[in-house]
Amino acid sequence: MAISTVGVIGLGTMGAGIAEVISRNGYSVIAIENSTAALEHGRGTLEASTARAVKRAKLTEQERSALLDRITFTTDMPALASADLVIEAVSESLELKKAIFAEVDAITPPHAILATNTSSLSVTDIAVATGRPANVVGIHFFNPAPVLSFVEIVRTVVTSQEIVDEAVAFARTLGKEPVVIGDRAGFIANALLFGYLNHAVSMFESKYASREDIDDAMRLGCGYPMGPLMLLDLIGLDTAYEILDTMYKQGRDRLHAPSPILKQLVTAGLKGRKTGRGFYTYEAPGSPVVVDAVDTEAIELGPTREIASVGVVGSGTMASGIAEVFAKAGMDVVLVARSGDKAAQALSRIEASLDKAVSKEKMTQEERDAALERVRGTSSLRELSYADLVVEAVVEDLEVKKALFVELDRTCKPGAILATTTSSLPVIDLAVVTKRPQDVVGLHFFNPAAVMKLVEVVRTVSTSDEVVDTAIAVCRALGKHPVTCGDRAGFIVNALLFPYLNDAVRMLEANYSSANDIDLAMKKGCGYPMGPFELLDVVGLDVSYAIQRTLYLEFREPGFAPAPRLEHLVTAGYLGRKTGRGFRDYVN
Ligand code: 3HC
């Protein structure tokens, strides 16, 4: 069947975007709203979005007016009598959707495909409200629909294969990458996204970290296009609440129970970007310009200590990367390894990295020579007696780290700050073995340290304000972006990232979708730089399993229990890229 006329019901954020992308691809669109005011609002959204596309040279002025001309705006449902396909995009209420589908079923020709853009409700429940459930399918777009190229095609147990094929072919004509999946709350992407978003909200609500720090951590630590709180504002807090509520009711997973503040914001009418205020305040309703963001890099600090000379303990990738970062910023660095050989190896790693920076024209030969000159390698902790700051980056073993902190406390001068780069152990456990717990802080760098801008500054219950502020000042001097958080397993990034990766493994285990389709969903639907299975294989399944286990043991959250498949792969020695096999096979 040839589709030429498409009805879109509901012109909110999603409906307007869907109508735009369909019309842009040459289809006639009948755009329906239930009131003139809502219709005009939807028209305004389309006009603004297409004007932005013209400004960005994605459309010509002529194409824009042809696009708008192809859309008939109406409040008259019977106008759908000529539609070959109808896509419903009203708010997430099952009763409302069922009523609309029953009405559309009576109006549209028998061949018409009836599709819902629901993000979490059961497509089957909606389908049975019509006399043609075999023609009902889910076509789930991602916000902003004109930009994100992923579409989930949801088949129910009664959807006919022919209709699924037509929906797939239609999505391809829009330039989208469709994936066909079964009818389960949240489908692929939302099921993996919303647990993470909800967790970020609870971090914010409990004041574990600030709004900006949570968002910056995920953008800079994971390369996400937006932080979770700003993304929630884009999605709409009412929509997010409804999705979480539906997912919770279907799976009874506490991690999907909407964080209380979401309900409060929605009740107060602060539904995100579309109303001009949600977690952030925007220039105007619908505007992407935030007017109340705090410039965390400019926050004034209290008294700080002077840091001129730095010690780094360890000789692995993190230790050499951190030593390089300090040396490049003009500080003298003593790198202490377990042996002279190991120290020499770390120094040659630093040299190679600096050479690479020169060859990529990121620094001059003179700058390289000066940086290298500033790093000294040794196997003696005694050489740290003059350091103002020591950063420990040895193996993630609590006993080894504790023994080291006892030594550092004995060796370092009074007032020297002792920092750990641990990513999963409690910083307070290290602080209490010293006589200076107020001077112990977490400085969690990301790998590769020379490249990644983010550093999590971890404050324990004992760390002094002066030490936290000094740590922040040091990060700024290094050209890094510090975020501060409390001393909980996973800090911000790992606590938000790994449960999502673990959920992806569970989804695979449940045979809901394939690793390729799940990776595609998160890359194309949410703009992530890597899919969860690609990332797990890069990070290493042993490392991922250990972090997930730590999170589980700290929070005792059943939803954080490591997925059995992850554990089995680790047991089998399939650890990801480094062993040539993980979720995928690699040619090393
Ligand atoms: N038509 C065509 N292209 C357009 C356009 C339009 N109407 N409007 C913008 N664009 C293009 C821009 O030209 C730009 O392309 P370019 O880089 O080649 O110039 C690109 O789209 C990005 O647009 P902007 O410059 O306006 O914005 P940003 O670069 O700041 O990116 C963003 C904004 C696209 C929202 C990005 O931050 C992003 O991808 N965020 C993640 C969004 C996400 O995760 N969405 C999924 C949410 S879940 C969901 O929707 C499911 C639902 O059920 C809740």
Side-chain angles (χ1 to χ4, degrees):
M1 181 200 66
I3 294 173
S4 62
T5 301
V6 182
V8 176
I9 305 176
L11 292 182
T13 314
M14 287 308 292
I18 294 169
E20 176 183 331
V21 73
I22 293 175
S23 175
R24 193 175 74 196
N25 287 282
Y27 295 95
S28 299
V29 175
I30 303 162
I32 308 252
E33 258 298 356
N34 62 359
S35 72
T36 315
L39 197 64
E40 286 318 309
H41 186 267
R43 191 200 299 268
T45 307
L46 263 147
E47 284 174 352
S49 171
T50 48
R52 215 169 34 240
V54 170
K55 221 158 135 196
R56 300 286 178 85
K58 299 277 164 191
L59 274 183
T60 64
E61 195 53 70
Q62 270 165 325
E63 284 166 340
R64 173 177 185 247
S65 61
L67 184 163
L68 293 172
D69 283 349
R70 275 193 293 273
I71 306 178
T72 307
F73 292 91
T74 175
T75 54
D76 187 24
M77 276 288 225
L80 293 174
S82 60
D84 306 305
L85 162 67
V86 176
I87 302 178
E88 162 279 314
V90 304
S91 58
E92 290 286 274
S93 152
L94 184 58
E95 289 319 307
L96 177 63
K97 287 186 195 265
K98 279 164 87 168
I100 287 175
F101 270 71
E103 195 179 347
V104 172
D105 187 28
I107 294 168
T108 48
H111 73 267
I113 301 174
L114 308 186
T116 172
N117 178 58
T118 184
S119 345
S120 54
L121 295 173
S122 159
V123 181
T124 317
D125 278 348
I126 297 170
V128 295
T130 73
R132 56 176 117 180
N135 278 30
V136 178
V137 70
I139 303 186
H140 182 226
F141 289 82
F142 289 80
N143 184 6
V147 178
L148 293 171
S149 65
F150 184 63
V151 167
E152 288 167 322
I153 305 290
V154 185
R155 61 146 24 114
T156 72
V157 287
V158 281
T159 317
S160 80
Q161 185 59 43
E162 196 190 334
I163 295 295
V164 171
D165 293 344
E166 283 183 21
V168 166
F170 171 73
R172 291 214 171 102
T173 66
L174 304 180
K176 305 289 182 197
E177 294 190 57
V179 159
V180 179
I181 35 159
D183 188 15
R184 210 172 86 161
F187 313 131
I188 302 176
N190 283 355
L192 297 182
L193 182 66
F194 276 79
Y196 148 68
L197 294 178
N198 202 35
H199 190 181
V201 175
S202 67
M203 269 187 183
F204 168 74
E205 194 169 13
S206 64
K207 297 194 165 49
Y208 175 65
S210 74
R211 180 183 72 169
E212 283 78 3
D213 280 357
I214 293 170
D215 277 354
D216 287 341
M218 297 314 284
R219 278 191 313 103
L220 300 173
C222 299
Y224 290 179
M226 294 180 129
L229 301 174
M230 206 171 272
L231 176 57
L232 278 161
D233 275 356
L234 172 73
I235 290 168
L237 304 190
D238 49 345
T239 306
Y241 179 85
E242 284 155 2
I243 293 173
L244 281 165
D245 197 47
T246 310
M247 282 171 52
Y248 176 71
K249 283 180 179 144
Q250 195 170 101
R252 297 285 156 187
D253 183 341
R254 286 195 335 202
L255 298 169
H256 297 148
S259 289
I261 197 172
L262 275 176
K263 183 74 177 286
Q264 292 158 29
L265 288 163
V266 173
T267 306
L270 309 177
K271 297 181 188 167
R273 197 193 268 195
K274 62 188 170 190
T275 60
R277 193 169 150 199
F279 288 105
Y280 293 85
T281 305
Y282 299 83
E283 205 172 37
S287 162
V289 181
V290 176
V291 292
D292 67 345
V294 175
D295 179 359
T296 51
E297 297 196 354
I299 291 177
E300 261 186 54
L301 302 173
T304 55
R305 298 182 194 168
E306 198 187 323
I307 307 292
S309 154
V310 176
V312 174
V313 186
S315 55
T317 321
M318 284 312 286
S320 56
I322 293 167
E324 178 187 341
V325 167
F326 278 106
K328 281 201 295 204
M331 293 178 219
D332 289 327
V333 185
V334 178
L335 183 141
V336 186
R338 267 175 302 168
S339 67
D341 279 355
K342 286 200 180 291
Q345 279 166 18
L347 287 186
S348 50
R349 208 174 300 128
I350 295 172
E351 193 173 345
S353 173
L354 290 171
D355 284 341
K356 198 163 149 197
V358 173
S359 72
K360 288 191 160 179
E361 296 183 1
K362 301 244 187 262
M363 66 182 347
T364 64
Q365 186 68 33
E366 293 69 41
E367 286 165 342
R368 172 239 182 239
D369 295 347
L372 205 53
E373 189 97 324
R374 282 192 283 266
V375 194
R376 200 156 46 81
T378 171
S379 60
S380 164
L381 281 177
R382 277 195 301 277
E383 305 223 13
L384 297 177
S385 56
Y386 294 106
D388 303 309
L389 164 70
V390 176
V391 182
E392 161 281 310
V394 304
V395 63
E396 284 284 273
D397 177 320
L398 188 58
E399 293 315 310
V400 174
K401 286 194 198 271
K402 273 160 91 171
L404 175 63
F405 269 70
V406 169
E407 280 300 306
L408 289 175
D409 189 35
R410 268 195 215 126
T411 312
C412 295
K413 65 184 182 189
I417 295 174
L418 306 183
T420 171
T421 59
T422 182
S423 60
S424 53
L425 300 170
V427 179
I428 191 67
D429 281 17
L430 306 177
V432 293
V433 301
T434 73
K435 294 194 177 64
R436 56 176 105 194
Q438 73 285 353
D439 292 342
V440 177
V441 69
L443 272 183
H444 184 217
F445 287 80
F446 288 74
N447 191 10
V451 178
M452 300 292 283
K453 253 188 95 90
L454 185 71
V455 180
E456 289 173 320
V457 174
V458 184
R459 168 202 285 272
T460 74
V461 286
S462 306
T463 317
S464 75
D465 289 346
E466 190 189 30
V467 167
V468 171
D469 281 359
T470 305
I472 294 172
V474 166
C475 292
R476 288 180 184 171
L478 296 176
K480 299 290 179 197
H481 184 102
V483 294
T484 44
C485 61
D487 185 20
R488 281 195 212 159
F491 311 134
I492 302 176
V493 173
N494 285 356
L496 291 178
L497 176 67
F498 282 87
Y500 141 72
L501 297 175
N502 195 49
D503 285 349
V505 181
R506 284 180 192 280
M507 186 178 273
L508 189 71
E509 255 170 8
N511 291 314
Y512 180 60
S513 189
S514 67
N516 284 349
D517 285 351
I518 297 171
D519 278 352
L520 184 76
M522 301 319 287
K523 286 192 288 186
K524 302 288 179 183
C526 301
Y528 287 8
M530 281 183 160
F533 297 104
E534 283 171 332
L535 187 57
L536 280 161
D537 276 355
V538 167
V539 171
L541 305 196
D542 49 344
V543 174
S544 304
Y545 173 71
I547 293 175
Q548 190 59 32
R549 208 175 120 77
T550 308
L551 288 170
Y552 176 58
L553 293 178
E554 171 117 332
F555 295 104
R556 304 287 162 161
E557 183 55 68
F560 285 175
R565 173 81 58 94
L566 186 59
E567 190 176 353
H568 295 170
L569 289 168
V570 173
T571 307
Y574 304 147
L575 306 183
R577 281 204 187 171
K578 60 189 172 189
T579 59
R581 181 167 174 185
F583 284 98
R584 296 194 172 87
D585 290 335
Y586 301 87
V587 184
N588 280 332

